[in-house]
Structures are given as C-alpha cells and as structure tokens.
Amino acid sequence: MTQSLEQVYQKLETMQADLEDLRNTYKGVSKNYQEALSSLKELTLQSAEASKRAAKAAEQSRLAALNAMNAAELASKDKSFLAVVESSVKAAVSAAIAAIESAAAAAAAAAAAAAAVSQHAEEALLKASSEAADASRLAADSAAEAVKLSNQAREISDLMKKSV
C-alpha cells in the first residue's frame, strides 16, 4: 500500500507540474494575443486616418482641377491666351490624376481597416472601418468630379483651337 501511495504522489506531482506548464503556456499565449490585438487596433486606426487624409487630398485635387478649368474658361475669351488655356488643361489633368491616386490610396486604407475588422469585430474597429469606407467614397467622388472638370477644360481648349 505504501508503494501504491508513493505512485499516487508521483503522479500527482507530475500532474501538478503539467498544470503549471499549461498555466505558463496560457500566460504566454494570452500576452502574445493581447499584443497582437493591440497592434491590430493601432493599424486599423492608422488605416482609417490614412483613408481620411487621402480623401482630403482628393478633395484638394478636385479644387485644383476646378480652378484650372475656371482659368481655362476665363482665358479662352481671348484667343491670345491659348497657351494659358493649354497649361490650365494640363493642370486640370494632373489634378484629376492626383485625385484618382488619392482615391486609390483611400480605398486601400479602407480595405486594410475592413480586413482588421473581419478578424476582430470590436466596436472601435467597426467605427474606424466605417469612417475609412466613408472617406474612400468621398475620395472617389472627388476623383470623379476632378476627371469631369479636366474633361471640361479639355473641351474649352478644343473649342478655342477650332475657333483660331
């Protein structure tokens, strides 16, 4: 019986050591998970911020295209300003390209935020992803408007060239 009791104590010690190993492993995994989740949250918030900034850049590009189109329209009243009109068209096209690039950046950032949310649907991440998606939509709208304005500037230039 003493020998049997000895075996029980040995097994109990082994089980206690295994349990301690499991606890330590759990603590390590839990710590790593918390660090990964914290990094994921930070990246999501940065993606949302990048999307908002890209949307602002697209809006500024839209305004640049509008100003270039207006300059082309004003300059087109005098045939001697054909070079000004051409420069305005180039500026409008460049602004439209910048708006498209900004919209693409906003979409990429919004996609990154959405991917993070798909991993961990926390309220803060959902809000950041939603804001990124809204910013991406605004950037796309600005890009579309910038392209439209650059096309209008090109039409003004084409009409002016025909009348010369």
Side-chain angles (χ1 to χ4, degrees), residues 10-29:
Q10 282 179 343
K11 286 193 178 213
L12 191 56
E13 284 178 24
T14 302
M15 289 175 69
Q16 195 170 12
D18 288 346
L19 184 59
E20 190 60 33
D21 284 346
L22 284 172
R23 279 188 187 130
N24 290 334
T25 300
Y26 171 77
K27 286 178 185 176
V29 168

Side-chain angles (χ1 to χ4, degrees), residues 10-126:
Q10 282 179 343
K11 286 193 178 213
L12 191 56
E13 284 178 24
T14 302
M15 289 175 69
Q16 195 170 12
D18 288 346
L19 184 59
E20 190 60 33
D21 284 346
L22 284 172
R23 279 188 187 130
N24 290 334
T25 300
Y26 171 77
K27 286 178 185 176
V29 168
S30 179
K31 180 182 177 208
N32 289 340
Y33 175 77
Q34 290 302 322
E35 289 171 358
L37 185 59
S38 178
S39 294
L40 184 62
K41 284 180 183 179
E42 185 62 29
L43 289 172
T44 303
L45 295 175
Q46 288 176 2
S47 295
E49 182 62 25
S51 185
K52 291 176 196 174
R53 287 178 179 227
K56 286 179 184 176
E59 173 60 14
Q60 291 300 311
S61 296
R62 184 197 69 80
L63 290 173
L66 175 64
N67 290 332
M69 192 278 299
N70 287 337
E73 192 173 44
L74 288 171
S76 71
K77 308 249 189 272
D78 186 339
K79 295 186 191 309
S80 63
F81 287 123
L82 181 59
V84 173
V85 172
E86 282 300 310
S87 292
S88 296
V89 170
K90 288 177 184 174
V93 169
S94 294
I97 290 169
I100 290 167
E101 291 296 324
S102 294
V117 168
S118 72
Q119 298 295 316
H120 299 280
E122 287 191 22
E123 188 174 335
L125 299 182
L126 290 169

